[in-house]
Amino acid sequence: MRVAIAGSNGLACSIADAITTNTYHQIIILSRAPKPQLSAKGWQVVVVNYDQAHRQDLVFKLAGVSVVISVISGPAQIALIDAAAQAGVRRFAPAEFEGPAALRPQTDALDRGKRAALERLRYYQTRGMQYTSFVCGILYERFAPGGMYASRIGLRSGIGAEGDYLMHISQRKAQVLLGTNGQPAVISLTSAEDVGKFVAAAISLSQWPPELRMRGDRMNVSRLIQITEIVRGAGFQKIQYNAQSMQSALQTAQTAQNIQQQLRVITMMATASGRFDFASPNLNALVDVNPTRFQAWLQEAWEDH
């Protein structure tokens, strides 16, 4: 089977690595520019342009592709969905890789075109193209040295640096987010490497439901901080936030017109609302993947720091 991966960042590479290591599927990497470092791995890199004027060229380059895994967002992803449908692609996985879509608010500052992509895919599903949203919760890499950016993940998110989410491990600082019940918020988490393994295994499933949920670990934020303190061998300075204090922090960021801080606080609020948690990881039960638990991953990630 021929699989196209749209994107060349760290998560796209984790998926490509897993497919080439654990399956016999052929991959191509769709990229806006040549990627010699990926070509050196033996991967076929196909340079594409997602502008409307280049639509037919994109359709041509998708000829013979059965599955598209997207790690791009916004108008480019919409163009890719349209071209995939025209090219006869059988399955499409959009750039989701967070919490379940049903938990998002109608007006979502973190959307980045995801709602529009799912609407487009529902339309094409009625015309024979299957789709699924891969749900993984929070990526472990948010808590890596240097944050997600160090793994080239979330480069356009604006909030992928170390300290942008829940903990700044190097500075031993953490945020305890309280949900509407007054208890620490619960999150589901998965490593990027395991996301790749789950996605690779899911390609061969006989059917794709609208959502495939994977999980490496699940805990409340207090336990997450406690594990990190154990791994680092030191206590953290903690600040507790409830709905009122998060709203106040958001208003302060808006007054200062600090977009990055607004995104940080909105992500905090989304976490407290339960957006990045789910109870039933259906993909875990469908494929043979044994994900790494958070503490073991964190220990290895910070071993030399």
Side-chain angles (χ1 to χ4, degrees):
M1 191 181 299
R2 200 161 188 238
V3 180
I5 301 169
S8 57
N9 67 9
L11 184 57
C13 289
S14 291
I15 294 169
D17 271 325
I19 293 173
T20 55
T21 300
N22 301 315
T23 78
Y24 292 102
H25 302 309
Q26 178 188 359
I27 67 164
I28 63 171
I29 304 294
L30 305 180
S31 174
R32 291 178 174 91
K35 299 292 179 180
Q37 71 275 23
L38 302 186
S39 299
K41 294 166 74 77
W43 298 348
Q44 182 183 359
V45 178
V46 177
V47 176
V48 295
N49 188 320
Y50 296 107
D51 292 345
Q52 181 62 31
H54 297 268
R55 167 77 172 273
Q56 289 308 311
D57 181 63
L58 183 57
V59 172
F60 174 77
K61 288 173 177 175
L62 289 171
V65 169
S66 297
V67 180
V68 172
I69 310 293
S70 174
V71 196
I72 63 174
S73 58
Q77 178 166 234
I78 298 296
L80 179 61
I81 293 170
D82 290 340
Q86 186 175 339
V89 170
R90 294 193 299 111
R91 288 178 167 179
F92 194 107
E96 285 285 321
F97 306 107
E98 54 153 280
L103 299 181
R104 298 175 200 156
Q106 287 294 318
T107 302
D108 183 13
L110 304 176
D111 178 71
R112 300 183 71 227
K114 292 183 178 183
R115 181 184 296 275
L118 289 176
E119 288 175 355
R120 199 66 138 248
L121 287 167
R122 292 186 191 105
Y123 168 78
Y124 285 123
Q125 185 180 42
T126 65
R127 285 154 176 77
M129 186 168 74
Q130 289 187 25
Y131 80 93
T132 196
S133 294
F134 286 110
V135 173
C136 62
I138 296 296
L139 290 173
Y140 290 175
E141 281 68 19
R142 281 196 175 273
F143 310 109
M148 292 197 302
Y149 290 163
S151 300
R152 299 187 65 255
I153 298 174
L155 296 177
R156 298 187 181 187
S157 68
I159 49 171
E162 184 181 346
D164 279 342
Y165 183 72
L166 289 183
M167 295 187 290
H168 196 307
I169 296 178
S170 296
Q171 296 181 8
R172 297 177 183 171
K173 295 179 179 179
Q175 300 164 338
V176 180
L177 310 181
L178 303 183
T180 54
N181 61 358
Q183 298 300 310
V186 177
I187 55 175
S188 293
L189 310 97
T190 316
S191 73
E193 181 179 356
D194 285 334
V195 168
K197 292 177 182 177
F198 276 114
V199 171
I203 290 171
S204 298
L205 293 176
S206 59
Q207 292 293 323
W208 270 12
E211 204 165 77
L212 284 169
R213 304 178 179 188
M214 66 194 83
R215 186 166 67 208
D217 218 330
R218 182 180 188 235
M219 66 193 74
N220 68 41
V221 295
S222 290
R223 178 58 180 159
L224 183 85
I225 296 165
Q226 182 185 44
I227 286 174
T228 308
E229 289 175 323
I230 291 169
V231 169
R232 299 303 292 153
F236 281 29
Q237 176 188 344
K238 305 176 191 69
I239 300 176
Q240 183 171 283
Y241 288 89
N242 58 20
Q244 183 178 355
S245 55
M246 282 185 278
Q247 186 62 45
S248 176
L250 179 59
Q251 290 172 351
T252 299
Q254 289 170 336
T255 300
Q257 298 184 332
N258 186 332
I259 301 300
Q260 186 178 35
Q261 181 61 10
Q262 289 178 48
L263 289 172
R264 290 192 193 104
V265 178
I266 290 168
T267 306
M268 291 167 60
M269 297 169 79
T271 301
S273 73
R275 172 168 169 167
F276 304 116
D277 184 41
F278 46 92
S280 177
N282 58 344
L283 186 53
N284 287 55
L286 292 172
V287 299
D288 185 19
V289 174
N290 184 25
T292 302
R293 300 295 294 272
F294 178 71
Q295 184 165 348
W297 176 89
L298 191 72
Q299 186 75 54
E300 182 175 352
W302 284 88
E303 188 173 9
D304 298 325
H305 293 79

